[in-house]
Amino acid sequence: MGPTLLSGRVTASDCYSGGVDLDLRQVRYAVTLADELHFGRAAARLTIAQQTLSAQIGSLERRLGVPLFTRDRRHVATTPAGEVFVERGRRLLDDARRLTDAVAGTRAPLRVDVLTEGLTPSVLAQHLRAQSPCLPFEVFQTQGLAAALPRLIAGELDLAFGRVHGLGRDLPAGLATMPVRLEPIGVVLPVGHPLADRDEVPLAALADHPLLVHTADEAAEWRDWIDRAIGAFGLRTALRVRGHGHAAVHATVRARGYPALSPATGPLPEGLTLRPLTDPVPLYPWHAVWNTTTAAPSVNRILELTHSYTRDHHWSTLPDGPWWLPEPDRTTLRIPTG
């Protein structure tokens, strides 16, 4: 028995072989070539070799089973099939852009804690934002890593920064850390203070000038660092004040006239000066801290950028001369005594 004829009418779907999975890159190549009608100019726009463009267009035509362009040594033109492909290809590329924009708009923001304004984490956050313009950021200021820990543990923060000792507790097992900076600490002085006329202040010279210790209750790790420095070098405390931020520290130094330990960079208001401390240089160890079980996928990329910035700016380089770190920090960083 011969074959049974089910229908005397042949439709386009009967000739459809199952379709071709389009590569959006090849669609973009074809649209660009149709714009330029010149392989050299189209390849330059696409920043690829002319031979690569020719090979990709040929591959696309073979997959489709129809020529999209006619070409000879002097001319390139679209075929009727090419005109249809390019017209709908433009729409396809526009739809793809709208799709990626819509998905990016639903991306969860990266939640970063910078402790307070003007510190190393703030500088780093500005760089990370500039390097990741498509990644939404939410920046928090908890005033201290000790205060940020509960939110990191609960998954309410993706990334925080700070010293990992002096927190009043050990870091939970689910938190990971990466060294970011060994920041020199200097001394903020009122203009006219006996030490203000020096280019550098030997740490031992502070023993004759009682300090203002200005810390937030949330910054247990900073308070611990200061107390260890005071104990290690026989320094004295004139006044302890609770407060938040550089602006509050500066205002208190101006009002009371006592020197205060501070990072050795950053702007100062009129009436104050900042001098580096030497013999030894006291260092404050910054770490990035994140929750390995709850952090957003973008944290890995942010950590790569952080590591690159640290390396490029020599943030982990020890001073040439004598330096000081509290013993727990040296042990964690595996640094021998300076």
Side-chain angles (χ1 to χ4, degrees):
M1 178 181 296
T4 302
L5 185 63
L6 298 180
S7 172
R9 181 170 58 89
V10 178
T11 66
S13 61
D14 295 321
C15 299
Y16 185 63
S17 61
V20 175
D21 290 331
L22 287 176
D23 183 337
L24 286 180
R25 180 187 55 174
Q26 291 182 328
V27 175
R28 185 173 298 107
Y29 289 175
V31 169
T32 304
L33 181 57
D35 288 341
E36 298 293 341
L37 294 178
H38 188 280
F39 275 89
R41 291 194 298 268
R45 269 184 56 183
L46 294 163
T47 64
I48 61 174
Q50 183 172 330
Q51 294 86 344
T52 300
L53 175 60
S54 180
Q56 289 295 320
I57 293 296
S59 172
L60 176 60
E61 290 176 325
R62 288 191 295 274
R63 294 177 66 198
L64 293 171
V66 62
L68 303 178
F69 299 90
T70 60
R71 55 269 210 190
D72 55 33
R73 291 179 180 273
R74 299 175 59 186
H75 300 96
V76 177
T78 53
T79 65
E83 292 177 3
V84 171
F85 185 89
V86 168
E87 178 189 354
R88 298 196 178 186
R90 292 187 198 280
R91 285 187 249 162
L92 182 60
L93 293 174
D94 287 341
D95 285 343
R97 279 190 290 269
R98 284 193 289 269
L99 174 60
T100 55
D101 289 345
V103 170
T106 65
R107 185 183 303 172
L110 186 75
R111 300 159 300 177
V112 180
D113 182 79
V114 299
L115 305 188
T116 191
E117 83 286 348
L119 298 180
T120 284
S122 296
V123 173
L124 195 50
Q126 291 176 9
H127 170 73
L128 296 175
R129 275 178 154 171
Q131 294 298 308
S132 307
C134 296
L135 178 62
F137 276 72
E138 286 185 6
V139 177
F140 298 84
Q141 295 185 0
T142 58
Q143 308 299 330
L145 181 58
L149 282 183
R151 302 187 72 177
L152 272 174
I153 295 168
E156 298 171 359
L157 280 174
D158 295 305
L159 187 64
F161 297 92
R163 177 175 174 246
V164 297
H165 292 287
L167 299 167
R169 59 181 297 183
D170 293 332
L171 288 179
L175 299 186
T177 67
M178 181 181 75
V180 169
R181 186 178 191 184
L182 295 172
E183 183 168 17
I185 298 298
V187 58
V188 176
L189 301 158
V191 172
H193 189 277
L195 297 177
D197 60 352
R198 303 190 183 197
D199 293 333
E200 299 176 340
V201 175
L203 195 51
L206 285 181
D208 297 329
H209 301 276
L211 295 173
L212 165 70
V213 177
H214 191 291
T215 60
D217 289 339
E218 299 90 341
E221 67 277 14
W222 170 239
R223 185 168 58 250
D224 176 83
W225 186 95
I226 292 178
D227 287 343
R228 287 177 181 272
I230 288 173
F233 298 101
L235 308 181
R236 293 178 292 151
T237 301
L239 182 66
R240 287 182 177 266
V241 179
R242 297 175 179 176
H244 297 148
H246 276 186
V249 175
H250 297 158
T252 308
V253 170
R254 291 181 63 182
R256 298 301 187 99
Y258 297 118
L261 299 176
S262 174
T265 56
L268 289 172
E270 186 178 355
L272 297 180
T273 188
L274 191 146
R275 294 290 181 260
L277 291 168
T278 60
D279 299 322
V281 177
L283 301 173
Y284 191 81
W286 291 99
H287 286 73
V289 186
W290 68 99
N291 189 328
T292 58
T293 62
T294 64
S298 54
V299 165
N300 288 334
R301 172 60 178 158
I302 292 302
L303 291 172
E304 291 175 0
L305 291 172
T306 299
H307 177 73
S308 297
Y309 191 86
T310 294
R311 181 194 62 224
D312 295 344
H313 288 76
H314 309 289
W315 271 6
S316 296
T317 302
L318 290 166
D320 292 333
W323 52 267
W324 176 82
L325 271 172
E327 189 279 331
D329 300 286
R330 290 201 313 270
T331 299
T332 296
L333 294 168
R334 299 180 182 178
I335 300 175
T337 302

